[in-house]
Amino acid sequence: MKVPLLDVKAQNAPLRGALLEAMARVMDSGGFILGPEVEAFEKELAAMLGVARAIGVSSGTDALLVALMALGVGPGDEVVTTPLSFYATVGCIARLGGRPVFADIEPESFNLDPAAAAAACGAKTRALIPVHLFGRPATLPKVEQPVVEDAAQSIGACKLGGIMSCLSFFPSKNLGAFGDAGAVLCDDAQIADNVVLLRTHGSRPKYVHHVVGGNFRLDALQAAILRVKLPRLAGWTAARRANAERYRRMFAAAPGIPAELRLPADVPGHIYNQFVIRAPRRDGLREHLAKQGIGTEVYYPLALHLQPCFAGWGYRAGAFPHAEAATREALALPIFAELTEEQQGFVVGQIAAYYC
Ligand SMILES: Cc1ncc(COP(=O)(O)O)c(C=O)c1O
């Protein structure tokens, strides 16, 4: 039996007709960038998530970048964030000439420790970026500086709590496009207007540029595809939550699972973009599962403060022990909505076999 980490084809197959129809509609319209398809998607997304504005952008990375630009983050500014995330969380700070200030994670949730984040704020702190990692809602730090939520992995996991929230529609996300796409969510009309301006090179009207922005526009084709998928999102997320619950039951009943192997705790709102366990002898387990045809992934093998491109900031190994431990122990198992009970049984059985 083969169990991939993710099976996007299984998700798309039942929607084939509707997806082709949406793509043909865009082709026939002759409009490919922004336009009515994107506007309709933005309205539907905002309504579903209960926010005043959703602004479609070119990727989750660009959502973070444009959000920090809208706050005026620039050279010398500090942004407090987590050392355990995808690179883009910190890359966007560096690209603006800012400096990330890391605070460690909570070992149980893998999310930025809100108290440590608040303690890391200083006179130069311009913003904070907590990440709702793996789809689990993070507790936001109580601070006076603006909080930009990195919700790339956590669409719908929690209500907007910061000044902006950034989504990714990378194909592996719970709501995935057929390429790169993202969105910025916010309730503040002035900030939303600023993001819209920055999204098209700061121009209004065309060819008159008020501020230096970028090309952060969303394609009509991606918006049309996302509109087909959006009404199914709640069902897919419910299926992921049910799969997580089934893993818990199966692990509890499996003989030989070591006590040190930890499953993610269930918390309200968790959308399980990833189901990440902590596993003793993680790399050996991963190799064993790969030989059995089971896909897994390590999110993330190297903490952000130790990335070679950030060496100039002077962070050393040992600075954030909880995040560094996670890079040695965390392993994502298949959790996609279409995963079958049989496949999950095989995964748990093979994990038990490894430890026996
Ligand atoms: C936590 C996190 N932040 C940011 C991003 C960037 O999103 P994108 O790949 O759409 O640029 C991702 C995507 O993988 C992510 O997982």
Side-chain angles (χ1 to χ4, degrees), residues 58-64 84-90 131-134 150-153 166-173 179-182 273 300:
S58 32
S59 67
T61 300
D62 287 343
L64 288 165
L84 189 74
S85 182
F86 178 61
Y87 163 84
T89 307
V90 171
V131 181
H132 304 291
L133 202 64
F134 307 141
D150 183 339
Q153 302 182 3
C166 299
L167 303 181
S168 164
F169 305 120
F170 185 80
S172 65
K173 302 300 193 270
D180 281 310
N273 180 242
Y300 294 89

Side-chain angles (χ1 to χ4, degrees), residues 2-74:
K2 286 252 181 289
V3 190
L5 180 65
L6 174 68
D7 187 356
V8 283
K9 287 186 193 167
Q11 183 187 79
N12 293 328
L15 301 177
R16 186 180 177 83
L19 288 165
L20 289 175
E21 206 173 284
M23 288 191 264
R25 186 173 71 233
V26 173
M27 186 173 75
D28 294 343
S29 78
F32 300 110
I33 295 171
L34 296 177
E37 206 69 57
V38 170
E39 283 164 26
F41 170 63
E42 290 176 337
K43 285 206 175 75
E44 288 158 14
L45 182 66
M48 173 175 282
L49 299 177
V51 289
R53 293 291 301 275
I55 300 144
V57 294
S58 32
S59 67
T61 300
D62 287 343
L64 288 165
L65 185 65
V66 77
L68 292 189
M69 288 170 84
L71 293 177
V73 172

Side-chain angles (χ1 to χ4, degrees), residues 59 64 101 103 127 141 193 201 206 233 250 258 322 335:
S59 67
L64 288 165
V101 173
D193 189 59
H201 297 293
K206 224 172 168 182
L233 177 62
M250 287 178 167
H322 294 315
I335 189 70

Side-chain angles (χ1 to χ4, degrees), residues 8-322:
V8 283
K9 287 186 193 167
Q11 183 187 79
N12 293 328
L15 301 177
R16 186 180 177 83
L19 288 165
L20 289 175
E21 206 173 284
M23 288 191 264
R25 186 173 71 233
V26 173
M27 186 173 75
D28 294 343
S29 78
F32 300 110
I33 295 171
L34 296 177
E37 206 69 57
V38 170
E39 283 164 26
F41 170 63
E42 290 176 337
K43 285 206 175 75
E44 288 158 14
L45 182 66
M48 173 175 282
L49 299 177
V51 289
R53 293 291 301 275
I55 300 144
V57 294
S58 32
S59 67
T61 300
D62 287 343
L64 288 165
L65 185 65
V66 77
L68 292 189
M69 288 170 84
L71 293 177
V73 172
D77 290 337
E78 292 182 355
V79 178
V80 174
T81 192
T82 170
L84 189 74
S85 182
F86 178 61
Y87 163 84
T89 307
V90 171
C92 65
I93 304 167
R95 287 170 67 184
L96 295 173
R99 187 192 159 94
V101 173
F102 296 104
D104 210 349
I105 60 164
E106 304 167 315
E108 201 243 313
S109 71
F110 295 116
N111 282 328
L112 178 64
D113 180 330
C121 289
K124 291 188 186 162
T125 306
R126 200 55 201 269
L128 293 87
I129 311 183
V131 181
H132 304 291
L133 202 64
F134 307 141
R136 175 178 164 142
T139 307
L140 301 185
K142 290 194 176 61
V143 288
E144 58 194 36
Q145 292 88 349
V147 170
V148 174
E149 296 171 76
D150 183 339
Q153 302 182 3
S154 62
I155 184 169
C158 50
K159 292 213 174 312
L160 177 66
I163 194 153
M164 281 172 270
S165 181
C166 299
L167 303 181
S168 164
F169 305 120
F170 185 80
S172 65
K173 302 300 193 270
N174 285 30
L175 180 65
F178 283 6
D180 281 310
V184 177
L185 310 176
C186 78
D187 280 336
D188 183 300
Q190 183 68 48
I191 288 176
D193 189 59
N194 213 355
V195 170
V196 169
L197 189 68
L198 288 161
R199 178 174 66 172
T200 42
H201 297 293
S203 71
R204 185 180 290 156
K206 224 172 168 182
Y207 308 126
V208 180
H209 301 266
H210 300 269
V211 289
V212 177
N215 174 358
F216 305 128
R217 299 174 306 223
L218 177 61
D219 288 346
L221 205 51
Q222 299 305 343
I225 288 159
L226 290 166
R227 290 183 71 197
V228 172
K229 293 187 165 197
L230 193 60
R232 275 93 178 171
L233 177 62
W236 290 329
T237 297
R240 283 171 179 266
R241 288 188 54 80
N243 289 346
E245 203 41 51
R246 195 153 61 190
Y247 267 138
R248 282 193 197 92
R249 286 198 303 273
M250 287 178 167
F251 272 104
I257 300 285
E260 312 85 75
L261 187 146
R262 294 274 152 76
L263 303 183
D266 188 33
V267 293
H270 201 322
I271 65 155
Y272 293 102
N273 180 242
Q274 302 295 343
F275 186 88
V276 178
I277 64 169
R278 278 182 189 269
R281 296 187 280 129
R282 189 265 321 263
D283 293 338
L285 172 63
R286 184 163 192 234
E287 228 169 86
H288 166 77
L289 294 175
K291 278 192 199 126
Q292 307 306 316
I294 297 170
T296 61
E297 189 52 275
V298 173
Y299 300 114
Y300 294 89
L302 186 62
L304 292 169
H305 63 290
L306 301 177
Q307 293 293 340
C309 64
F310 300 146
W313 287 325
Y315 285 105
R316 296 277 174 268
F320 304 104
H322 294 315

